[in-house]
């Protein structure tokens, strides 16, 4: 459950009843593409047993493009992954500065200064070496997120006497609907982390079951949260639903969101630095495999995210443009394309149709997101 979930009630405002259907459909599609992506890591041996012959998203891409160029697919995937992960890390820093600024308005400091303070608390990330540590931080992040959801839903339930289904729109504007589609779909995305996650599981055979249950509960939680919040505030629903809360609850929720943002940072940070470190340390260069070099890579990445958070203007719009390209590609386009390429002879007609449909849907979502983001950038720059 990412910070995107806080925008779901606003998405319902612009998508009406179709938004509820989209929340369920997005869960099913993201769960499906997660499964087919992991399927591409395995091949059958002579005895018909599945053997894990690939370890990363990059390995899958290279296997698909080996006739064209042995390393082309991997380069494209790695660049796309790192771009999205770095942008995500920067967003967490920007959000942290914004939340600290709003939580302590009486302290005479700018948002950028608060971002630097948040950055200092993240310095221990350079010492993270395994996914086990990241998983513990992510578990704490989930707990904090649950508290935020609980506070918002509890307040909404106290306003149940004001609820009315008449608040739902029947007619929707196409551009606003596209924005809603983006928010809903990208609130589920996790494909970048799945090969690493599955490879680190104690029992990889339980991966599909885990994916089914997590997406099911995510769908239930998102639907419940979005519905209760929208029925409470209706047309007054703001882009980030916590802005609708009374002031005495806003400070509490903002501090929880800050904690969540800081605890969320290590996962994309760890994944991005691992990708870069593995790419650089290939070959027989022993200097690149030293612990000091690994520390240098993580330290450089940490500093890069701070500098970009401090100096890039209109970051939110650039993030939207990057997300539309990389998010849709990593979640829909590439998993379905790779699955078709590697498993074509073993797929049934329905499975082929499903993959092609997902690919087309991903392409349309990406195209729509790019158009909306470019329009926003053109409006800002005049």
């Amino acid at each position: 459950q990412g910070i995107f979930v806080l925008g779901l009630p606003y998405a319902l405002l612009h998508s009406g009843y179709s938004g509820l259907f989209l929340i369920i459909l997005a869960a099913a599609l993201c769960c499906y593409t997660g499964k087919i992506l992991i399927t591409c890591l395995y091949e059958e041996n002579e005895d018909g047993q599945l053997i894990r012959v690939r370890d990363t998203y990059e390995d899958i891409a290279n296997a698909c493009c080996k006739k064209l160029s042995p390393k082309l697919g991997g380069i494209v995937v790695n660049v796309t992954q790192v771009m999205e992960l770095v942008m995500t890390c920067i967003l967490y820093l920007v959000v942290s500065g914004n939340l600290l600024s709003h939580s302590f308005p009486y302290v005479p400091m700018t948002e950028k200064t608060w971002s630097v303070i948040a950055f200092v608390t993240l310095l221990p990330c350079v010492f993270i070496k395994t996914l086990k540590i990241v998983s513990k931080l992510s578990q704490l992040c989930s707990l904090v997120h649950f508290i935020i959801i609980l506070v918002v839903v509890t307040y909404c339930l106290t306003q149940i006497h004001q609820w009315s289904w008449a608040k739902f729109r029947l007619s929707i504007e196409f551009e606003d609907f596209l924005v809603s589609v983006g928010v809903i779909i990208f609130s589920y995305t996790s494909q970048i982390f799945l090969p690493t996650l599955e490879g680190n599981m104690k029992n990889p055979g339980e991966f599909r079951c885990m994916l089914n249950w997590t997406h099911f509960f995510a769908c239930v939680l998102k639907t419940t949260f979005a519905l209760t919040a929208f029925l409470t505030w209706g047309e007054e629903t703001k882009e980030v639903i916590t802005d609708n809360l009374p002031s005495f609850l806003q400070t509490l929720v903002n501090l929880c969101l800050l904690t969540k943002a800081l605890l969320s940072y290590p996962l994309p940070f760890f994944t991005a630095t691992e990708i870069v470190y593995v790419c650089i340390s290939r070959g027989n260069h022993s200097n690149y495999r030293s612990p000091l070099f690994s520390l240098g890579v993580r330290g450089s990445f940490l500093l890069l995210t701070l500098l970009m958070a401090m100096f890039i203007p209109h970051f939110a719009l650039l993030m939207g443009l990057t997300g539309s390209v990389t998010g849709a590609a990593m979640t829909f386009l590439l998993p379905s394309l790779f699955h078709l390429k590697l498993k074509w002879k073993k797929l049934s007609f329905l499975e082929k149709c499903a993959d092609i449909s997902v690919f087309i849907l991903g392409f349309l979502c990406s195209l729509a997101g790019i158009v909306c983001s470019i329009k926003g950038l053109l409006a800002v720059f005049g």
Side-chain angles (χ1 to χ4, degrees):
Q1 301 295 328
I3 287 178
F4 257 130
V5 76
L6 299 175
L8 288 179
Y10 186 74
L12 279 191
L13 171 65
H14 291 294
S15 57
Y17 286 103
S18 61
L20 294 173
F21 172 72
L22 278 172
I23 292 173
I24 299 167
L25 179 64
L29 288 176
C30 290
C31 184
Y32 174 73
T33 56
K35 288 176 184 176
I36 62 174
L37 181 66
I38 297 304
T39 301
C40 293
L41 296 173
Y42 291 84
E43 293 290 348
E44 284 186 7
N45 63 9
E46 294 173 355
D47 301 322
Q49 294 176 317
L50 288 175
I51 305 295
R52 201 178 204 263
V53 295
R54 305 175 189 103
D55 293 318
T56 62
Y57 216 137
E58 179 192 4
D59 293 339
I60 298 170
N62 283 333
C64 290
C65 299
K66 63 182 178 183
K67 289 182 181 178
L68 184 64
S69 173
K71 295 183 178 179
L72 176 64
I75 292 169
V76 171
V77 163
N78 280 339
V79 170
T80 307
Q81 284 188 99
V82 172
M83 276 177 63
E84 183 166 347
L85 291 165
V86 169
M87 285 294 192
T88 304
C89 290
I90 298 165
L91 185 63
Y92 285 135
L93 273 178
V94 173
V95 166
S96 297
N98 180 273
L99 289 168
L100 279 167
S101 174
H102 283 83
S103 299
F104 305 102
Y106 44 84
V107 179
M109 284 199 288
T110 63
E111 282 189 23
K112 288 184 178 181
T113 308
W114 281 118
S115 291
V116 173
I117 292 170
F119 169 79
V120 171
T121 66
L122 293 169
L123 287 175
C125 287
V126 297
F127 301 107
I128 295 175
K129 294 180 181 178
T130 65
L131 198 64
K132 188 172 281 189
I133 297 169
V134 178
S135 71
K136 289 176 181 177
L137 294 172
S138 294
Q139 193 171 27
L140 286 173
C141 176
S142 299
L143 180 63
V144 172
H145 194 79
F146 178 75
I147 293 169
I148 296 167
I149 299 291
L150 189 65
V151 169
V152 176
V153 171
T154 302
Y155 177 79
C156 290
L157 290 174
T158 64
Q159 307 298 311
I160 199 168
H161 57 279
Q162 299 178 7
W163 289 9
S164 171
W165 286 95
K167 294 177 181 178
F168 270 94
R169 290 187 181 187
L170 289 174
S171 60
I172 52 176
E173 292 181 19
F174 185 66
E175 239 178 77
D176 290 337
F177 177 73
L178 288 179
V179 173
S180 300
V181 171
V183 172
I184 290 168
I185 288 175
F186 294 124
S187 69
Y188 282 104
T189 55
S190 60
Q191 275 68 6
I192 285 179
F193 311 110
L194 294 184
T196 307
L197 176 62
E198 196 260 0
N200 280 272
M201 284 180 71
K202 190 178 288 186
N203 300 308
E206 295 178 353
F207 177 82
R208 294 175 72 89
C209 180
M210 177 276 291
L211 213 60
N212 287 336
W213 280 109
T214 48
H215 280 76
F216 170 75
F217 283 119
C219 179
V220 171
L221 182 72
K222 288 179 200 294
T223 306
T224 304
F225 178 75
L227 200 54
T228 54
F230 176 71
L231 287 172
T232 300
W233 287 290
E235 292 290 328
E236 294 176 8
T237 301
K238 295 182 180 177
E239 285 188 47
V240 179
I241 198 62
T242 51
D243 290 342
N244 282 103
L245 291 170
S247 55
F248 70 94
L249 283 177
Q250 263 192 42
T251 304
L252 169 66
V253 171
N254 280 346
L255 290 173
C256 286
L257 281 170
L258 170 67
T259 307
K260 175 179 170 51
L262 295 176
L263 289 170
S264 297
Y265 185 97
L267 180 58
F269 174 79
F270 174 81
T271 309
T273 52
E274 281 296 293
I275 291 168
V276 173
Y277 179 64
V278 168
C279 289
I280 295 173
S281 63
R282 283 198 183 113
N284 298 316
H285 303 289
S286 57
N287 291 337
Y288 292 155
R289 297 182 180 181
S290 68
L292 191 62
F293 179 75
S294 176
L295 199 66
V297 169
R298 291 195 287 268
S300 301
F301 253 79
L302 201 64
L303 192 59
L304 175 69
T305 59
L306 174 67
L307 292 174
M308 290 182 74
M310 297 285 286
F311 298 114
I312 293 183
H314 310 300
F315 176 76
L317 287 171
L318 289 172
M319 179 75 186
L321 180 59
T322 308
S324 296
V325 178
T326 61
M330 301 304 287
T331 306
F332 295 120
L333 299 178
L334 295 181
S336 53
L337 191 64
F338 292 162
H339 193 233
L340 285 168
K341 173 71 176 172
L342 294 172
K343 308 290 181 181
W344 179 264
K345 292 179 181 178
K346 297 177 182 178
L347 295 178
S348 66
F349 175 74
L350 286 176
E351 286 173 323
K352 289 175 184 176
C353 288
D355 285 354
I356 293 168
S357 300
V358 169
F359 182 86
I360 293 170
L361 181 64
F363 177 77
L364 292 175
C365 286
S366 181
L367 187 65
I370 290 168
V371 170
C372 289
S373 298
I374 290 175
K375 282 183 73 175
L377 283 168
L378 289 174
V380 167
F381 289 109

